Amino acid sequence: MSNLDPVFGAESAGYRGAAMMDAVGAGVSHDGRARWARPLLIALTAICAVVLLCRFAGEPLTRIHHVTVHSDVPLSDDQMLALSGIPAGAHWYSVSAQDIEQRLEASPLVYRARVERVFPDTVRMTVWARQPAALVLASVDGRSLPVLVDGEGVVYKVGTTGPDLDLPVVSGLTAGDMSLGARLPRHYGALFSDLRALREKAPALYAALSEVRVTAPSARAGAAAPAAAAGPYPDASPQELEMLVYLTSTRVPIRTRGAIDEGFVKYALMVVDLLSRQGVLQNIQELDFRNGDAVYRTRGSGAPAGSAEGGMSR
């Protein structure tokens, strides 16, 4: 046993030394965490204090005090503000520019809206009005009522004022709902898009149009015209829509289908001028452009009586 005592004692001493080293290491680790924990806690407390200070002291600065409106819509700034739906006391960070744009564009008068938030207390709104493509005579409760329709076929004004009377008239529509904000059927869309483009690109040619009357098609060989009750071309494509076009320079109607564009109006004015100089215009009942050439019918005759001469094909 005496030979084992020194060895056993050495092992015990080793265990005690290891335990002391572990205790020292634990103390060092604890002191390191304590040194980092206190500054971190102070930093977090400072950040929270700054956030609360900004929240309560800065909130009045971000309350919306200014709403600027740039618009050609015939509404007052107060009316535009009401349309925007910005609540009283709203803050710069709490309003959505996209939501405001959607509310503005929900108005039949508004074509497009753009909204910007300007830090810290301003909302800037730019609003574009719908522009008329034509004046439409709608039948409402058994009486004829003029409405304004834009290039997208949207009714955005019921009733007219003086300047509206200078617009070309579109008649003969079987459109159903013609209330404020209603959209006309798809097969009329191309007509109003053409008129809008003509007004923007060639105002002088646009001003030469007096009326565009949508009609039921003339009977073709082997086919009867559709019933009037069904409306003109109820299932027609825009290219098949048949119209009588009246110019401001003459009351002789021009029967056509397809686009009412710059080329059509220039050609119509040229043909009318030629026939007027030839002295036959006053005897013509109707011009027919449907086949590309200018064919005319004289009064009292149902069949084509002649064609314009001088290379007048479209």
Side-chain angles (χ1 to χ4, degrees):
M1 293 298 292
S2 61
N3 292 333
L4 294 177
D5 285 343
V7 175
F8 208 73
E11 290 180 355
S12 299
Y15 288 136
R16 286 196 299 270
M20 289 177 66
M21 291 299 294
D22 289 342
V24 171
V28 171
S29 177
H30 177 73
D31 290 343
R33 286 198 299 268
R35 283 199 302 270
W36 282 105
R38 181 173 297 176
L40 181 61
L41 182 61
I42 293 173
L44 289 175
T45 303
I47 291 172
C48 291
V50 170
V51 170
L52 290 174
L53 180 64
C54 293
R55 176 72 173 84
F56 291 104
E59 186 173 86
L61 299 178
T62 61
R63 184 175 292 123
I64 296 174
H65 292 100
H66 307 287
V67 177
T68 62
V69 180
H70 303 278
S71 170
D72 59 352
V73 178
L75 294 175
S76 67
D77 288 352
D78 288 341
Q79 290 173 315
M80 293 297 297
L81 183 59
L83 281 179
S84 72
I86 300 175
H91 292 82
W92 174 86
Y93 56 80
S94 66
V95 297
S96 166
Q98 184 177 6
D99 289 347
I100 297 173
E101 289 174 355
Q102 291 176 351
R103 287 193 291 268
L104 290 171
E105 291 175 357
S107 168
L109 296 173
V110 175
Y111 173 65
R112 188 164 68 91
R114 186 179 65 200
V115 177
E116 301 171 278
R117 299 183 305 165
V118 182
F119 185 81
D121 62 353
T122 300
V123 173
R124 183 183 299 140
M125 302 190 300
T126 305
V127 186
W128 289 267
R130 292 189 183 274
Q131 299 298 324
L135 179 69
V136 176
L137 296 179
S139 179
V140 179
D141 296 330
R143 59 191 181 92
S144 183
L145 184 66
V147 300
L148 293 186
V149 178
D150 76 342
E152 295 183 337
V154 174
V155 177
Y156 72 94
K157 184 179 180 182
V158 177
T160 59
T161 58
D164 301 333
L165 300 179
D166 291 333
L167 298 169
V169 174
V170 175
S171 60
L173 299 186
T174 304
D177 182 18
M178 294 290 283
S179 61
L180 194 64
R183 187 178 293 271
L184 300 185
R186 178 193 59 83
H187 50 273
Y188 296 134
L191 169 60
F192 289 95
S193 179
D194 287 346
L195 292 175
R196 176 184 61 187
L198 188 63
R199 184 184 187 190
E200 293 174 352
K201 297 177 181 178
L205 296 178
Y206 177 82
L209 295 175
S210 175
E211 181 182 355
V212 178
R213 183 179 301 167
V214 179
T215 67
S218 301
R220 298 179 178 86
Y233 285 121
D235 299 314
S237 68
Q239 292 74 25
E240 295 174 327
L241 201 65
E242 192 161 303
M243 298 162 283
L244 287 175
V245 177
Y246 293 85
L247 303 176
T248 56
S249 57
T250 178
R251 290 307 300 167
V252 176
I254 301 168
R255 188 174 293 274
T256 187
R257 68 171 67 95
I260 305 296
D261 54 14
E262 293 181 58
F264 168 81
V265 180
K266 288 179 179 178
Y267 179 65
L269 290 171
M270 189 164 51
V271 169
V272 167
D273 180 66
L274 174 65
L275 294 174
S276 178
R277 285 189 283 110
Q278 290 177 346
V280 298
L281 185 63
Q282 63 272 19
N283 297 320
I284 294 177
Q285 178 180 354
E286 180 183 290
L287 286 164
D288 193 336
F289 286 6
R290 287 175 296 177
N291 295 323
D293 296 327
V295 179
Y296 60 84
R297 293 177 174 82
T298 57
R299 301 184 187 281
S301 172
S307 61
E309 299 177 356
M312 301 301 291
S313 298
R314 295 183 68 185

